[in-house]
Amino acid sequence: MTMKTQNFKHVSYLWDEKVANELEGKEVDLLIYRSNILGSDLRITNYGGGNTSCKTYEKDPLTGEEVEIMWVKGSGGDIGTLTKAGLAGLYVNKLRSLESVYRGLEFEDEMVELFNHCIYDLKSKAPSIDTPLHSFLPFKHIDHLHPDAAIAIAASKDGEKITKDLWNGSIAWVPWQKPGFDLGLQLRDALNANPGIRGIMLGGHGLFTWGDTAYECYMNSLDVIETASRYLEDHYGKTRPVFGGEKVQSLAPEQRKSQAAILAPILRGLASSEKLMVGTFNDSDTVLQFINSHDLNKLAPMGTSCPDHFLRTKISPLVLDLAPDADLSDSVAIKQSFEKAFEDYRAMYASYYENHKHPNSPAMRDPNPVIILWPGVGLFSYAKDKQTSRVASEFYINAINVMRGAEAVSEYVSLPLQEAFNIEYWLLEEAKLQRMPKEKPLSRKIALVTGSAGGIGKGIAEKFVQEGACVVLTDIDAGRLDSALNEFTGKYGKDIVHGVLLDVTDTDSLAKAIQSTCLKYGGVDIIVNNAGISISRKFEEHSDQDWDRLHNILVMGQYHVSKAGVDLMRKQGTGGDVVNIVSKNALVAGPKNVAYGTTKAAQLHMSRLMAAELAEDKIKVNVVNPDAVIESSNIWEGGWAENRAKAYGIDVKDLPQYYANRTLLKESVKVEDIANAAFAFVGGLLSKSTGNMLNVDGGLAAAFPR
């Protein structure tokens, strides 16, 4: 394979000749490779956006003849993470023969079901609505991408003329048309009318490019996007300042983060009036240039142009009427001041639905805004989980780029509202939503677990992640925290877990952890107080320092972390849970344990008092009392094991079995046992339980509540 050399400024050239040579002759593998490197550059296409294909000749299993097969990204996939399992393999001749039964635009949806009759590879992903757009083009490799630069031209008033002039007629233009079979026919007709072209611009939508090989297709795509990007760059600020210039001045970065962290849980609560949402905050230069501009109030209400954008961001954002440096100390007043803005947005969305719905349209979805803009501070996005809210913010940044480019070279044009509605409430889109897996018990929940880099805390954090929660790992040990965070990220991905150093005895450390949590997820729903230490000494040998240390970490730590968490829960107004990991020692008196046992008793009773006071806010407070959980625990450190063994008159090595033997069940208590107990309180089955405790100790009669 002969490699070309070209310097790109606006896209990343990622083709690796060594990798490609190893795949030479394996067209499907080259398709996947090309897709992955294209999808890794957000300037080319965003998560889930665009689709790619290749055509090969394969042996028909029924006839033994060589037949042309198209391999194309299936429904709901992402080219950046595409694998063979994400492809649909279909007979090209069968797909093209569907033209004979196509009944026109009114019957587009029935064609998608017919795609299933064209499947060659029985392991195929469900074919997407874009399948015919690839099948009616004869090229071996095809890219359909949503690069900001191309859409900026496609979404401009003079897009057709710019396309013709910029590429000297080598890129054809097809006006806006909802994706489907008819659009596939239009692409074929555009090619027939313009032989020798290298691509097609879809009005308001995106770009089709192609090549005879995977590499030629890749280079063609990059070159077209680079040309569009350079054209836009040459026009920024040429006739007028970008977005009309700055109207509002940004706060300094740290001030922005401080203000955003304070407001995020309030906005989260308002955006969660129907279902709990998870947030994302973004204050990138791109966002600030737009939200601080004179053109914000003109462009923001217009909505986005590309279907991939508004499917994730809704038709338009909510713009906050709030000074960047506003005093946010009175959260109740701030929340009340925004309630009307949210009510007005919901009313606007309901009107949009009622004015554009069809007799068979799905029921109206959540009318709350997904994108919220605060001039001078940044962009907030709220959705069902972290990945969806993050992707929504990324797509809105794409939309900003499109508006900036379109305004620089012409005039931005958004999709008509009816067209937008037809995409958003498309029955095929609804069917895709209905196929989504059932949400897990802790989906939409955000949990902060103290002391969660190991032992019980880590076990609880992992259980919560597995049940759908976003989890904030916290620990005082940076190395231990990094190790746990890397492990979780490797297993569960970057969105669902966040790590923050936290010393529960240091209020400044706690404030930073809370701010980091709010900026990452928008708030918190579950606080698990697990951080702790154990000191075992004779009564007369305890020092004042022992008492102070135990009290500060266990009692005051629980108090301060709970107080900070409850403050966020009250701002959200959506209730919440506090689970305190205490000990059977809160109930049972034992030797050489007076300071530890006393602080554990204080933790337990504080939990009861908190439950009594916080119930009016629908915040539940419950306790798990473990005993002798030695697995992966720091409890062995600092001489604790030696002192406990000495207290019981046994060797250290016999301590685990000693603990097991003294229980009624004669079994050791494991980390997962405590994690399951914590989950029991927050997983939905005990939603009417507060002020309770659950002993997980293998059965100790002395600890039975009475």
Side-chain angles (χ1 to χ4, degrees):
M1 181 182 297
T2 302
M3 310 300 290
K4 302 176 183 178
T5 58
Q6 181 168 344
N7 293 322
F8 292 105
K9 179 180 178 182
H10 301 280
V11 291
S12 298
Y13 178 86
L14 301 175
W15 193 274
D16 187 319
E17 184 174 1
K18 182 180 179 182
V19 173
N21 285 341
E22 291 174 355
L23 301 176
E24 190 165 3
K26 302 175 182 178
E27 298 303 317
V28 175
D29 291 339
L30 284 167
L31 163 65
I32 293 169
Y33 174 63
R34 181 179 90 243
S35 303
N36 292 164
I37 60 177
L38 286 170
S40 68
D41 188 344
L42 294 183
R43 296 168 297 181
I44 290 175
T45 200
N46 211 310
Y47 180 85
N51 35 73
T52 49
S53 71
C54 77
K55 298 182 182 74
T56 64
Y57 279 88
E58 309 288 346
K59 183 177 289 188
D60 190 318
L62 299 181
T63 67
E65 297 177 357
E66 291 288 309
V67 291
E68 190 175 19
I69 303 299
M70 182 177 76
W71 306 88
V72 61
K73 189 197 84 170
S75 178
D78 167 54
I79 65 172
T81 55
L82 186 67
T83 64
K84 179 74 179 292
L87 292 173
L90 306 105
Y91 292 94
V92 174
N93 64 337
K94 289 185 178 182
L95 283 168
R96 291 174 181 168
S97 71
L98 293 177
E99 184 178 4
S100 64
V101 298
Y102 177 53
R103 299 195 292 160
L105 284 171
E106 286 185 55
F107 304 97
E108 282 279 0
D109 290 7
E110 71 183 19
M111 301 305 292
V112 176
E113 192 169 325
L114 292 178
F115 297 161
N116 293 323
H117 292 279
C118 305
I119 289 177
Y120 162 81
D121 181 5
L122 298 183
K123 297 178 182 178
S124 285
K125 182 87 169 175
S128 80
I129 191 66
D130 284 328
T131 299
L133 280 66
H134 292 258
S135 67
F136 283 106
L137 294 173
F139 307 103
K140 194 170 183 179
H141 289 268
I142 299 173
D143 291 335
H144 170 38
L145 304 170
H146 296 149
D148 296 345
I151 301 177
I153 294 171
S156 66
K157 185 178 179 180
D158 302 305
E160 184 173 5
K161 182 178 185 303
I162 293 171
T163 299
K164 180 180 179 181
D165 294 344
L166 183 59
W167 285 282
N168 299 314
S170 66
I171 301 290
W173 175 274
V174 172
W176 161 257
Q177 170 78 42
K178 188 170 77 169
F181 203 84
D182 185 73
L183 185 56
L185 297 176
Q186 289 192 43
L187 294 183
R188 180 192 64 185
D189 294 344
L191 178 63
N192 291 338
N194 301 275
I197 58 174
R198 59 188 294 197
I200 299 173
M201 188 77 77
L202 303 182
H205 184 165
L207 177 70
F208 264 84
T209 43
W210 47 73
D212 290 332
T213 67
Y215 181 70
E216 288 177 8
C217 183
Y218 177 71
M219 289 300 295
N220 188 23
S221 297
L222 292 194
D223 185 66
V224 171
I225 298 167
E226 180 74 10
T227 299
S229 301
R230 288 178 177 173
Y231 177 73
L232 298 181
E233 185 178 51
D234 290 342
H235 285 77
Y236 288 135
K238 190 172 183 179
T239 58
R240 67 190 291 261
V242 175
F243 291 134
E246 186 178 77
K247 180 181 178 181
V248 176
Q249 187 174 2
S250 294
L251 296 177
E254 288 308 311
Q255 288 179 288
R256 293 199 300 269
K257 287 177 171 53
S258 176
Q259 290 286 81
I262 296 170
L263 193 63
I266 297 174
L267 296 178
R268 181 180 182 231
L270 291 166
S272 300
S273 64
E274 294 206 355
K275 287 186 176 181
L276 203 58
M277 298 295 177
V278 178
T280 292
F281 174 70
N282 189 299
D283 63 344
S284 65
D285 291 343
T286 300
V287 167
L288 293 171
Q289 183 184 54
F290 177 64
I291 66 174
N292 295 347
S293 73
H294 285 280
D295 287 352
L296 173 65
N297 292 330
K298 178 188 84 170
L299 295 172
M302 292 176 65
T304 56
S305 59
C306 178
D308 271 32
H309 294 176
F310 63 73
L311 276 175
R312 293 165 173 83
T313 65
K314 274 202 168 74
I315 52 171
S316 61
L318 171 63
V319 180
L320 300 181
D321 182 13
L322 183 70
D325 59 353
D327 182 358
L328 304 179
S329 58
D330 189 343
S331 60
V332 174
I334 291 294
K335 187 172 185 176
Q336 289 174 344
S337 71
F338 283 137
E339 284 176 346
K340 185 177 187 306
F342 274 79
E343 289 170 2
D344 289 347
Y345 188 97
R346 295 176 195 127
M348 177 277 293
Y349 187 83
S351 176
Y352 155 76
Y353 176 85
E354 291 297 327
N355 291 338
H356 300 97
K357 69 179 181 180
H358 304 288
N360 62 345
S361 291
M364 187 179 79
R365 303 188 189 112
D366 190 330
N368 282 293
V370 172
I371 303 295
I372 301 172
L373 307 177
W374 185 4
V377 178
L379 176 157
F380 301 85
S381 55
Y382 293 93
K384 65 176 183 175
D385 55 41
K386 177 62 184 181
Q387 184 193 63
T388 307
S389 73
R390 174 181 57 79
V391 169
S393 71
E394 291 173 0
F395 268 102
Y396 198 77
I397 291 171
N398 287 122
I400 291 172
N401 291 333
V402 167
M403 288 185 278
R404 183 176 64 245
E407 287 286 301
V409 299
S410 176
E411 182 180 335
Y412 173 68
V413 178
S414 62
L415 275 184
L417 289 180
Q418 187 63 62
E419 290 294 325
F421 181 89
N422 292 345
I423 292 286
E424 185 177 356
Y425 282 90
W426 198 352
L427 291 178
L428 293 177
E429 187 66 28
E430 178 67 14
K432 187 190 298 184
L433 294 174
Q434 294 301 322
R435 291 195 300 268
M436 296 291 286
K438 181 182 178 181
E439 291 189 12
K440 295 180 178 180
L442 296 185
S443 291
R444 302 174 181 266
K445 298 284 183 74
I446 301 156
L448 185 150
V449 185
T450 66
S452 48
I456 289 174
K458 185 180 177 185
I460 292 171
E462 185 151 28
K463 175 66 176 178
F464 285 8
V465 166
Q466 291 168 349
E467 296 294 344
C470 293
V471 173
V472 181
L473 299 174
T474 73
D475 208 274
I476 196 172
D477 186 325
R480 198 167 149 97
L481 179 62
D482 286 343
S483 176
L485 185 59
N486 289 335
E487 178 188 336
F488 275 49
T489 300
K491 291 167 71 173
Y492 305 109
K494 65 179 181 180
D495 285 320
I496 208 165
V497 62
H498 182 52
V500 187
L501 274 174
L502 173 60
D503 177 352
V504 298
T505 69
D506 182 348
T507 53
D508 288 339
S509 172
L510 176 58
K512 290 177 182 176
I514 291 296
Q515 181 184 93
S516 182
T517 299
C518 290
L519 292 174
K520 177 73 173 182
Y521 294 124
V524 75
D525 305 293
I526 303 168
I527 293 289
V528 179
N529 285 297
N530 168 76
I533 60 166
S534 295
I535 298 175
S536 174
R537 290 193 176 96
K538 290 182 179 179
F539 173 76
E540 66 274 14
E541 292 177 358
H542 268 299
S543 67
D544 290 353
Q545 289 76 16
D546 291 339
W547 281 88
D548 289 343
R549 190 169 178 225
L550 283 164
H551 182 267
N552 288 339
I553 294 173
L554 298 176
V555 182
M556 293 306 295
Q558 175 177 299
Y559 168 70
H560 284 301
V561 174
S562 298
K563 185 178 178 182
V566 166
D567 179 58
L568 297 185
M569 294 175 193
R570 282 174 167 160
K571 287 179 178 179
Q572 293 165 171
T574 52
D577 283 277
V578 178
V579 178
N580 295 324
I581 308 303
V582 185
S583 170
K584 74 94 170 60
N585 288 291
L587 300 166
V588 178
K592 299 182 181 180
N593 212 21
V594 63
Y596 180 75
T598 300
T599 52
K600 284 297 176 182
Q603 280 187 283
L604 175 60
H605 197 53
M606 187 201 307
S607 302
R608 297 182 179 121
L609 295 168
M610 288 167 60
E613 188 170 344
L614 300 178
E616 62 180 331
D617 296 300
K618 303 299 180 184
I619 298 171
K620 301 185 281 99
V621 185
N622 291 288
V623 168
V624 175
N625 286 329
D627 183 45
V629 181
I630 300 171
E631 176 188 17
S632 304
S633 176
N634 282 337
I635 205 166
W636 287 105
E637 299 174 4
W640 182 89
E642 290 80 1
N643 277 307
R644 297 319 294 158
K646 188 176 181 180
Y648 299 130
I650 60 175
D651 291 335
V652 171
K653 65 180 177 60
D654 298 324
L655 200 55
Q657 191 59 49
Y658 173 84
Y659 282 134
N661 289 340
R662 76 181 183 183
T663 71
L664 297 174
L665 298 175
K666 301 293 187 285
E667 292 184 14
S668 296
V669 181
K670 304 293 186 181
V671 164
E672 67 176 305
D673 299 319
I674 311 305
N676 288 334
F679 171 67
F681 280 124
V682 302
L685 295 178
L686 298 178
S687 60
K688 304 295 173 62
S689 177
T690 191
N692 285 327
M693 63 180 175
L694 180 57
N695 289 344
V696 187
D697 53 17
L700 290 173
F704 289 176
R706 53 195 178 277

